[in-house]
Amino acid sequence: MLSTEYQPSTAATLGMELEIQLVDKQTLDLAPRADEILHTLHQSTTARHFKQEVTCSMLELNSGIHDGSATLEAEMLQLGAQLCAAATPLGIRPCGGGTHPFQDWRERQISDFPRYQHFAEHYGYLARQFTVFGQHVHVGCPDGDTAIWLTHALSYYIPHLLALSASSPYIQGEDSGFASARSNVVSAFPSSGHLPQFVRNWQEFQGHAAELEHAGIIGSLKDLYWDIRPKPEYGTVEVRIFDTPLDIPHSVALAALVQTLARYLLNERPPQPGRAALYCVYGFNRFQAARFGLSADIHDVRSGKRIPLNQAILDLLQQLQPYAADPHARDCLEQLALRAHHRHGDYSLLREHANNGLSCPQLVHEAANLWQPANS
């Protein structure tokens, strides 16, 4: 039976997960070496922070629970260095980015793990096409009703968050035309999307989840590939919209933004736009951010007008400055503001390299250089 008991946690505490590409040092294609790397990592005291993913060419890094972004960054840099140390002797380079620019999904191997084997049996070729890479950020919530409220409140900012993280313009050897091609792959699954607008509290969420289970649509809450979802066993709201950034500091800056935004929303409880209007344009705004990144225009349900997304991000970051927990968090917001001001994201950087004549393998080489910690 589906477990939906909510475990309380401290409001606005922070954690995150990063899905990382494993690329062959020589060919720069994805390499199915996760098992070997995990074998080495699982002999360390930090083994619990490394996890198998759906295909054998990717690994997940999981942080602990943090009060702020400074300690989160220190931990993630340490975990990144450990991953590099385990991968390098095998001729493997860890790499960020929401997609691998030229890998062929038909060559991917599904991980030998019961959940992923069942996933592959159920979804067919989509399981191997799911070799895309995202960042998930968790923020603590004291109770289930608060988690549902926050999930709805954060949904307004989905285009802001996606555009700031977009790092997947290339897929299957081609420029997709999108800032985030990864987000299109996720949308293929029937349980993707967002929390239904009619769910107003934890009891109604439990009822909705039970109906989905009864219909055979999900077996656990892990089967909900929503852009934002409550995570009751952790006592968090999990923001899942992000591409994996090209470097760890940027991923931490995005986590700091989510934490600061959650703190503002939970402390101030500002008036929210009507959910019917919000979710009416949700898909359009999400598409705009995925397609055009920081150069997108979105329909703002609060003003009823089409607005430039980068200006909306700049206005938000300015509004959030007083709610940043510490100087590190404020620095993170300032770094994101620079990206928004210049409308220059990770996807822009990759395209600049390509416009300067770099091939797809050379793009992977540059991306791996960015991700690898300087002290590893």
Side-chain angles (χ1 to χ4, degrees):
M1 184 175 178
L2 196 70
S3 175
T4 56
E5 182 180 355
Y6 192 89
Q7 301 296 325
S9 67
T10 303
T13 46
L14 182 64
M16 77 179 198
E17 303 152 2
L18 279 180
E19 295 166 348
I20 302 300
Q21 304 180 32
L22 303 176
V23 301
D24 183 274
K25 184 178 180 180
Q26 299 302 320
T27 68
L28 297 166
D29 199 354
L30 289 177
R33 308 292 293 276
D35 284 348
E36 298 165 75
I37 295 172
L38 281 171
H39 178 74
T40 299
L41 291 169
H42 283 177
Q43 300 175 41
S44 71
T45 57
T46 56
R48 68 187 185 280
H49 294 289
F50 301 95
K51 179 185 172 185
Q52 183 72 67
E53 262 297 336
V54 62
T55 70
C56 298
S57 303
M58 56 198 303
L59 281 179
E60 184 177 273
L61 275 63
N62 301 310
S63 80
I65 302 171
H66 295 266
D67 292 325
S69 56
T71 56
L72 174 64
E73 181 167 320
E75 180 186 38
M76 294 305 293
L77 288 172
Q78 178 187 15
L79 294 176
Q82 289 177 332
L83 175 56
C84 288
T88 298
L90 300 174
I92 301 300
R93 301 191 69 192
C95 185
T99 57
H100 184 280
F102 68 90
Q103 66 95 15
D104 187 336
W105 66 266
R106 294 170 295 184
E107 298 176 358
R108 303 284 65 84
Q109 300 175 22
I110 300 297
S111 298
D112 187 18
F113 191 77
R115 169 175 163 77
Y116 297 134
Q117 290 293 317
H118 174 74
F119 180 83
E121 291 171 7
H122 186 69
Y123 288 112
Y125 80 102
L126 288 177
R128 285 184 291 160
Q129 285 199 336
F130 204 43
T131 307
V132 292
F133 308 85
Q135 173 182 351
H136 304 159
V137 177
H138 292 261
V139 285
C141 282
D143 56 74
D145 287 348
T146 300
I148 295 299
W149 183 89
L150 184 60
T151 300
H152 283 303
L154 286 170
S155 295
Y156 174 82
Y157 302 97
I158 279 293
H160 307 57
L161 302 176
L162 177 55
L164 283 168
S165 75
S167 63
S168 53
Y170 294 93
I171 191 166
Q172 300 291 301
E174 298 286 342
D175 188 330
S176 66
F178 279 73
S180 172
R182 177 203 64 87
S183 58
N184 297 326
V185 177
V186 178
S187 297
F189 291 88
S191 54
S192 64
H194 54 77
L195 178 67
Q197 66 186 65
F198 60 79
V199 173
R200 297 169 296 178
N201 54 47
W202 192 252
Q203 183 178 3
E204 291 181 354
F205 172 76
Q206 289 177 306
H208 178 62
E211 289 179 355
L212 294 176
E213 181 190 30
H214 179 73
I217 297 171
I218 64 172
S220 77
L221 296 183
K222 291 181 179 180
D223 298 327
L224 296 174
Y225 301 117
W226 294 344
D227 296 334
I228 309 175
R229 71 182 181 190
K231 192 76 169 174
E233 65 269 37
Y234 293 167
T236 65
V237 168
E238 180 185 13
V239 180
R240 301 165 49 84
I241 190 60
F242 301 112
D243 283 6
T244 293
L246 295 179
D247 63 81
I248 289 175
H250 183 43
S251 71
V252 173
L254 294 170
L257 170 57
V258 172
Q259 182 186 39
T260 307
L261 179 55
R263 181 177 289 112
Y264 159 70
L265 291 169
L266 292 173
N267 287 351
E268 301 298 331
R269 293 291 180 121
Q272 297 299 302
R275 290 176 187 167
L278 171 63
Y279 291 120
C280 180
V281 300
Y282 183 96
F284 172 80
N285 286 344
R286 186 186 190 278
F287 171 86
Q288 289 292 103
R291 174 69 172 86
F292 301 107
L294 293 166
S295 295
D297 289 337
I298 61 170
H299 180 81
D300 179 46
V301 296
R302 289 175 172 165
S303 66
K305 299 178 180 179
R306 187 74 67 89
I307 61 173
L309 180 55
N310 77 311
Q311 187 58 54
I313 292 170
L314 289 169
D315 292 343
L316 172 65
L317 293 170
Q318 182 65 34
Q319 180 183 18
L320 292 180
Q321 277 289 343
Y323 299 90
D326 51 45
H328 188 275
R330 289 191 289 275
D331 288 344
C332 287
L333 298 188
E334 290 173 1
Q335 290 301 312
L336 295 176
L338 285 174
R339 287 177 177 250
H341 175 74
H342 294 291
R343 295 190 295 182
H344 191 277
D346 284 352
Y347 65 92
S348 313
L349 179 62
L350 292 173
R351 283 202 172 109
E352 284 178 1
H353 285 317
N355 291 338
N356 288 331
L358 269 61
S359 65
C360 280
Q362 289 171 321
L363 292 181
V364 177
H365 177 77
E366 293 297 322
N369 286 344
L370 285 172
W371 193 85
Q372 185 164 344
N375 59 349
S376 66

